[in-house]
Amino acid sequence: MLNSVVVFVAMLLGLLVLFSHRVRVSEKWQATVTPLASIIGSGFLVSVPIIAKEIGHWAIIGISGLILAAYCVGAVIRFNILHTEQIVEQQQQEGRIRLTTSLEKLSQLTLAFAYFISIAYYLVLLGNFLLKGFGYEHREIANWIGTVLTVFIGLVGFSGGLHLVERVEKYAVSLNLTVIFGLLVGLLFYNGELAFSGQWEVRDGLKAVGLEKVQIMLGLLIVVQGFETSKFIGDEYSPKMRAETMRNAQMYSAVIYLCFFALLTVLFPLLKNDESVSGIITLVGHVAIVLPLLLTLGAVASQFGASVADSIGSAGLLEDVTNRRVKIRHAYPFITFVSVTLIWSTDILHIITLSSRAFALFYMLQCCVALTALWQLKGMRNRVGMFWFTGATGLLCALVVLFGIPSGV
């Protein structure tokens, strides 16, 4: 009971901060929360049972590797925000079709299709978490929940009303961040209780980590993805603001992920009898009795908000890439068809890996865009070092595309 009180007090403090006037009117926070919410949305929850099952107490190292890889990719995208966007805009104004502009268009088209996959991923995950919250698991019912919501979003998008639904996402983001803060404080209190009573111990040792485990980790890039959203809010914020707040979002999310896994490691043995991607719901019940319900509500809200945002994003990208030949409202039936097909043609673990590989392809193309821009920026300071860094990051993304595999959970 005391743990539940601690969680509620932490969440109340979180709500007071997030809904305070100072935070709500802060331009920097608004620009930060967009990528932050994407990074610690669904991946924050689904990563635990998968990584814990695959690499055990190496999990903190595994998530650190994913965070580092994501930060490297983020650095390349920040370079593109600050430098490449100007080059592309200039080439378009001059009516020139150059390699940089062509690669940028191709990367945007790739991202649109990556969003198709992520919509399926978010909504099937929503179905799994919703059922888990009621103590029930059923793949087909979860798929039907995802299908119904996908069709609903597609119909509302086709009718032109999806931006009204998008307003719900702002509240979903605040709810999710508040639940996560309460969860972290609850975990800290739980670990403190164990340590004070002399019961804190990490059991079962470490699992062997081979090439297959590395490939599975490559296939989990999606769990730290989302920072690229800063690239597409240029109508609202300056390039400098977007680059700075993306970096802040990645740093904040890194701290959250590392604290989360460090505090949760002691509970890993309790996952033995739960093979589902939503196993975190049952696991946090050992910390505080209220957490399964709160985490379910937060997960459902964040998945729905993220799927709406990705639907709008993919439709907008298709309109831009086709030079408005495809209108936004006409893109939604196609998005719905692809997403529903994915939901029923594979399982959630394969969708996670497929989504990771699709986003990795987008990131790889963004690295190629940056390389072509670096070739043109002759007078840039540390140009050679950035060239090699970008090439190495692009190679890492290529490895995810080629060798990422789904977990065997």
Side-chain angles (χ1 to χ4, degrees):
M1 182 60 70
L2 181 59
N3 287 18
S4 297
V5 173
V6 169
V7 170
F8 271 124
V9 170
M11 287 182 61
L12 179 60
L13 291 174
L15 283 173
L16 290 174
V17 172
L18 289 175
F19 285 95
S20 66
H21 178 73
R22 185 176 180 180
V23 171
R24 285 189 291 109
V25 300
S26 170
E27 185 182 49
K28 182 171 286 189
W29 172 247
Q30 294 304 319
T32 301
V33 78
T34 298
L36 179 62
S38 296
I39 298 168
I40 61 171
S42 55
F44 182 77
L45 302 175
V46 77
S47 60
V48 172
I50 297 176
I51 295 178
K53 289 284 186 180
E54 294 296 342
I55 58 177
H57 300 129
W58 292 105
I60 192 71
I61 297 175
I63 196 65
S64 297
L66 286 173
I67 290 169
L68 180 60
Y71 191 83
C72 290
V73 176
V76 174
I77 293 182
R78 287 192 288 276
F79 170 85
N80 284 339
I81 289 173
L82 294 171
H83 301 284
T84 309
E85 286 182 3
Q86 299 174 8
I87 295 174
V88 171
E89 185 178 353
Q90 183 179 356
Q91 290 181 358
Q92 289 177 334
Q93 288 176 350
E94 295 173 356
R96 297 183 297 166
I97 303 299
R98 295 290 179 87
L99 183 58
T100 304
T101 303
S102 299
L103 285 171
E104 178 66 24
K105 288 284 187 182
L106 180 60
S107 73
Q108 290 183 9
L109 183 61
T110 302
L111 181 60
F113 282 95
Y115 280 151
F116 292 180
I117 304 170
S118 67
I119 292 165
Y121 159 58
Y122 289 138
L123 294 178
V124 172
L125 208 56
L126 184 155
N128 277 277
F129 276 112
L130 185 61
L131 292 176
K132 190 74 170 184
F134 288 99
Y136 187 65
E137 292 178 36
H138 198 290
R139 177 184 168 184
E140 286 195 359
I141 295 177
N143 285 353
W144 275 113
I145 293 173
T147 300
V148 170
L149 290 173
T150 303
V151 172
F152 168 75
I153 290 172
L155 289 173
V156 176
F158 183 75
S159 69
L162 201 56
H163 283 283
L164 296 176
V165 181
E166 188 185 22
R167 295 177 185 175
V168 178
E169 188 190 9
K170 295 180 180 179
Y171 299 99
V173 167
S174 296
L175 174 62
N176 196 36
L177 290 174
T178 301
V179 170
I180 287 172
F181 180 66
L183 171 60
L184 290 176
V185 172
L187 282 170
L188 182 62
F189 188 78
Y190 179 81
N191 276 261
E193 282 185 318
L194 290 180
F196 186 75
S197 62
Q199 299 178 51
W200 196 99
E201 63 173 334
V202 175
R203 291 174 286 162
D204 296 341
L206 298 171
K207 295 187 178 182
V209 178
L211 180 60
E212 183 183 359
K213 303 296 186 183
V214 173
Q215 288 181 267
I216 290 172
M217 292 305 296
L218 289 175
L220 288 176
L221 181 63
I222 185 69
V223 304
V224 287
Q225 165 272 332
F227 47 88
E228 78 288 335
T229 53
S230 294
K231 181 175 170 61
F232 301 102
I233 53 176
D235 293 339
E236 303 173 54
Y237 308 103
S238 67
K240 183 179 179 181
M241 174 73 78
R242 287 183 286 139
E244 181 184 350
T245 53
M246 185 213 287
R247 183 174 59 249
N248 291 344
Q250 288 197 284
M251 296 301 293
Y252 297 155
S253 64
V255 172
I256 291 171
Y257 265 108
L258 292 174
C259 290
F260 183 50
F261 272 86
L263 293 171
L264 206 63
T265 299
V266 71
L267 291 169
F268 280 179
L270 300 176
L271 274 170
K272 281 184 176 179
N273 298 321
D274 195 335
E275 298 289 322
S276 68
V277 291
S278 52
I280 184 68
I281 297 294
T282 303
L283 194 62
V284 296
H286 296 278
V287 178
I289 195 170
V290 298
L291 275 175
L293 175 60
L294 293 174
L295 210 59
T296 299
L297 292 174
V300 169
S302 65
Q303 304 316 307
F304 184 73
S307 61
V308 169
D310 281 7
S311 297
I312 293 172
S314 58
L317 284 169
L318 284 176
E319 184 182 55
D320 289 342
V321 170
T322 59
N323 295 321
R324 303 191 182 278
R325 293 188 187 93
V326 175
K327 301 298 181 184
I328 284 184
R329 66 189 301 264
H330 296 148
Y332 287 107
F334 181 57
I335 294 169
T336 301
F337 173 76
V338 174
S339 297
V340 170
T341 301
L342 281 169
I343 288 172
W344 289 101
S345 62
T346 186
D347 59 62
I348 182 63
L349 293 173
H350 283 81
I351 292 176
I352 289 171
T353 301
L354 186 60
S355 188
S356 292
R357 295 169 76 175
F359 277 99
L361 181 58
F362 164 71
Y363 296 146
M364 185 185 74
L365 288 170
Q366 280 291 298
C367 289
C368 293
V369 170
L371 289 173
T372 63
L374 281 164
W375 188 262
Q376 300 171 62
L377 297 171
K378 302 293 184 183
M380 180 182 174
R381 186 180 178 184
N382 198 26
R383 173 170 164 263
V384 175
M386 186 63 187
F387 192 90
W388 283 107
F389 172 80
T390 303
T393 303
L395 179 60
L396 175 62
C397 293
L399 291 175
V400 175
V401 175
L402 294 173
F403 300 112
I405 61 173
S407 166
V409 173

